[in-house]
Amino acid sequence: PCHSPMKLQEPMKTVKALVGPNVLKSERCCGESGTLGVTRPDISTQIRFRKEEEIRKGEAALREQGATGDLKILTSCPSCLQGLSRYRDDLSNGLLEADYIVVEMARKLLGEGWLEEYVARANQGGIERVLV
């Protein structure tokens, strides 16, 4: 069994410790899972509308807490990342950027150049194997 700290405590506590305190959890689906958007655009559009409403409410709450500039919405799902990228122009006061939560955590923990450094080390044979 896995006993990692991430699985033993409330996930938002871990996320806030790694990313910072200005984080809100979004419970709504973006409507992009599998082929839903293609096979049932009627349902997918309604799900997207509700997600957009939640994003706007989240934006307002973060602005009230003092957040300025562009906001990020983070996920661990490839379908969500694709779907969430469609919301980038939906904010009232700035851009909404969608990204993977692990990418944001790497950026916060390792710095802005983490990906370039990782690729350089990998290309130089500095990484023998990667466990996922």
Side-chain angles (χ1 to χ4, degrees):
C2 180
H3 297 290
S4 73
M6 189 91 168
K7 294 196 178 215
L8 295 177
Q9 68 181 1
E10 203 276 315
M12 287 303 290
K13 182 177 179 183
T14 302
V15 170
K16 286 182 179 194
L18 293 170
V19 176
N22 288 334
V23 177
L24 297 177
K25 186 175 183 181
S26 177
E27 298 286 352
R28 288 221 175 257
C29 175
C30 67
E32 296 294 328
S33 181
T35 59
L36 180 64
V38 176
T39 59
R40 290 302 307 264
D42 55 327
I43 295 172
S44 180
T45 298
Q46 288 302 312
I47 293 171
R48 183 190 189 284
F49 175 75
R50 290 188 179 127
K51 181 68 171 185
E52 184 177 350
E53 285 181 325
E54 184 171 292
I55 287 172
R56 288 182 186 276
K57 287 177 188 174
E59 176 195 11
L62 288 170
R63 300 293 184 207
E64 285 179 18
Q65 293 174 14
T68 58
D70 298 345
L71 297 179
K72 290 184 180 180
I73 187 163
L74 304 173
T75 185
S76 60
C77 171
S79 294
C80 288
L81 185 61
Q82 178 182 343
L84 292 169
S85 67
R86 297 179 189 186
Y87 296 96
R88 76 177 146 260
D89 296 323
D90 287 346
L91 293 187
S92 302
N93 300 299
L95 179 72
L96 179 71
E97 179 184 342
D99 208 345
Y100 288 117
I101 192 165
V102 294
V103 169
E104 184 64 15
M105 288 178 175
R107 197 176 286 127
K108 292 284 185 179
L109 294 171
L110 304 173
E112 289 295 326
W114 73 271
L115 182 57
E116 293 80 9
E117 292 170 16
Y118 172 82
V119 170
R121 284 195 312 264
N123 287 337
Q124 294 168 3
I127 298 174
E128 293 178 15
R129 62 185 148 221
V130 176
L131 298 176
V132 180

